[in-house]
């Protein structure tokens, strides 16, 4: 195990929302992060002129784009899991630009939220069929669709993720594990880790205190135990710090969180 492992601690541009995406990417770079997730916030940002600007900023900063996050995540229940089958069938075309943008930027993953918890449910067979078609479309563009455990979506429930993984087959569906989302949904993060098994490819790193998301190592969780469990299960991916803009007051707090997270991995390397 070598020191470049520390670069696994990255930052999401979503931390600076509603700053324009390009400015948020520059902000991530200015804080010394070498791995980032980009939250795309408008259709024009998926087109070559804008992507070229993002790519140039990342190239100059020596930054990897690991994943992108669609701004339409909150509408996926309506786009893909609808009683109106014609729209559900055609909506994959709306996500091809995300897949192509991710490929252009060299990203591995496109984050997916899935069906809304409060929307009508059309069964697991339908859910698996939709996911399979989206996964195939992403793969065609050279990227991977990764399903996140979002508290307001069906995937926020560990039992749902466990059943989904069983139906699709272990090793087929990629997962994004988000600590705060498990807690917002009222679940033990370890239960979600059990459900996702070793199919986690990407982690949103954060902490929790007083019913609110916090920067990593700025909350009340035994975060080292969670990270140790993830590592023990064989995870080799990146940890992307993702919090909300109101969860911190200054860039300095992010820098402290970054050092603490890197310190955890450094102790693991020396140990």
């Amino acid at each position: 195990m070598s020191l470049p492992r520390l670069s696994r601690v990255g930052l999401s541009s979503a931390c600076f929302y509603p700053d324009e995406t390009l400015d948020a990417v520059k902000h991530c770079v200015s804080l010394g992060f070498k791995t980032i997730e980009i939250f795309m916030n408008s259709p024009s940002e998926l087109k070559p002129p804008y992507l070229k600007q993002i790519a140039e900023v990342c190239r100059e900063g020596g930054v990897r784009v690991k994943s992108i996050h669609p701004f339409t995540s909150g509408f996926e229940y309506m786009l893909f899991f609808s009683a109106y089958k014609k729209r559900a069938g055609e909506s994959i075309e709306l996500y091809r630009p995300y897949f192509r943008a991710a490929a252009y930027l060299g990203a591995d993953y496109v984050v997916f939220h899935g069906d809304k918890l409060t929307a009508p449910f059309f069964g697991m067979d339908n859910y698996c069929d939709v996911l399979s078609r989206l996964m195939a479309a992403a793969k065609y563009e050279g990227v991977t669709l990764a399903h996140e455990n979002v508290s307001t979506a069906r995937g926020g429930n560990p039992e749902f993720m466990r059943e989904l993984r069983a139906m699709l087959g272990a090793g087929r569906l990629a997962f994004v594990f988000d600590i705060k989302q498990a807690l917002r949904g009222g679940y033990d993060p370890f239960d979600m880790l059990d459900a996702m098994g070793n199919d986690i490819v990407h982690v949103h790193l954060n902490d929790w205190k007083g019913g609110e998301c916090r920067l990593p190592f700025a909350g009340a969780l035994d975060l080292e135990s969670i990270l140790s469990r993830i590592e023990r299960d064989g995870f080799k991916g990146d940890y992307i710090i993702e919090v909300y803009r109101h969860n911190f007051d200054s860039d300095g707090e992010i820098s402290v969180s970054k050092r603490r997270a890197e310190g955890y991995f450094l102790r693991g390397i020396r140990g």
Side-chain angles (χ1 to χ4, degrees):
M1 201 176 293
S2 59
L3 287 178
R5 183 179 175 86
L6 299 182
S7 68
R8 295 172 71 196
V9 179
L11 186 66
S12 171
S13 69
C15 295
F16 305 114
Y17 183 86
D19 289 359
E20 187 180 330
T21 299
L22 183 60
D23 293 333
V25 169
K26 291 177 180 177
H27 203 157
C28 293
V29 174
S30 74
L31 290 174
F33 286 90
K34 297 301 181 182
T35 305
I36 64 172
E37 176 173 289
I38 302 178
F39 199 110
M40 296 297 192
N41 288 300
S42 70
S44 66
E45 295 172 9
L46 301 173
K47 295 180 179 179
Y50 202 88
L51 292 173
K52 185 177 180 180
Q53 293 182 73
I54 292 176
E56 183 63 17
V57 169
C58 292
R59 185 190 65 77
E60 291 179 355
V63 170
R64 290 184 304 149
V65 179
K66 190 65 178 182
S67 55
I68 72 165
H69 197 303
F71 69 92
T72 47
S73 292
F75 304 108
E76 286 167 356
Y77 76 98
M78 184 176 64
L79 294 174
F80 302 111
F81 305 100
S82 170
Y84 195 75
K85 296 300 182 184
K86 188 172 187 294
R87 179 174 67 239
E90 294 176 359
S91 289
I92 287 179
E93 297 307 315
L94 297 177
Y95 267 46
R96 289 192 193 278
Y98 289 117
F99 302 149
R100 290 168 182 159
Y104 180 90
L105 294 172
D108 294 324
Y109 307 114
V110 173
V111 179
F112 186 72
H113 285 190
D115 198 12
K116 191 175 180 180
L117 190 59
T118 56
F121 186 49
F122 300 102
M124 289 299 292
D125 287 340
N126 177 69
Y127 202 98
C128 289
D129 178 63
V130 168
L131 269 185
S132 294
R133 288 186 286 117
L134 277 165
M135 289 159 59
K139 185 177 180 180
Y140 181 82
E141 302 297 340
V143 298
T144 298
L145 187 79
H147 201 316
E148 185 178 1
N149 60 303
V150 176
S151 63
T152 56
R154 297 192 188 280
N157 185 329
E159 289 306 314
F160 183 89
M161 289 301 217
R162 185 174 285 110
E163 183 178 358
L164 185 63
R165 183 170 181 250
M167 289 185 68
L168 284 172
R172 187 168 174 220
L173 177 59
F175 290 116
V176 180
F177 173 63
D178 190 310
I179 300 169
K180 70 176 179 298
Q181 292 290 353
L183 291 158
R184 289 178 82 191
Y187 297 104
D188 185 329
F190 289 98
D191 288 342
M192 186 59 74
L193 288 172
D194 286 339
M196 292 178 168
N198 58 2
D199 288 334
I200 297 172
V201 298
H202 195 52
V203 174
H204 285 162
L205 182 62
N206 33 67
D207 211 321
W208 190 262
K209 184 178 181 180
E212 182 60 83
C213 175
R214 307 290 181 187
L215 283 165
F217 297 98
L221 290 179
D222 182 359
L223 197 55
E224 290 202 5
S225 291
I226 295 174
L227 295 178
S228 294
R229 165 62 187 278
I230 296 170
E231 291 289 291
R232 189 170 67 247
D233 286 349
F235 178 68
K236 302 298 182 185
D238 296 296
Y239 293 86
I240 303 295
I241 296 173
E242 188 195 71
V243 299
Y244 304 111
R245 185 63 188 85
H246 64 275
N247 295 142
F248 62 94
D249 295 320
S250 69
D251 286 354
E253 292 177 43
I254 296 177
S255 296
V256 168
S257 180
K258 177 177 182 286
R259 288 197 298 272
R260 288 176 176 172
E262 290 176 341
Y264 164 80
F265 290 109
L266 185 58
R267 288 194 297 277
I269 291 168
R270 289 176 174 167

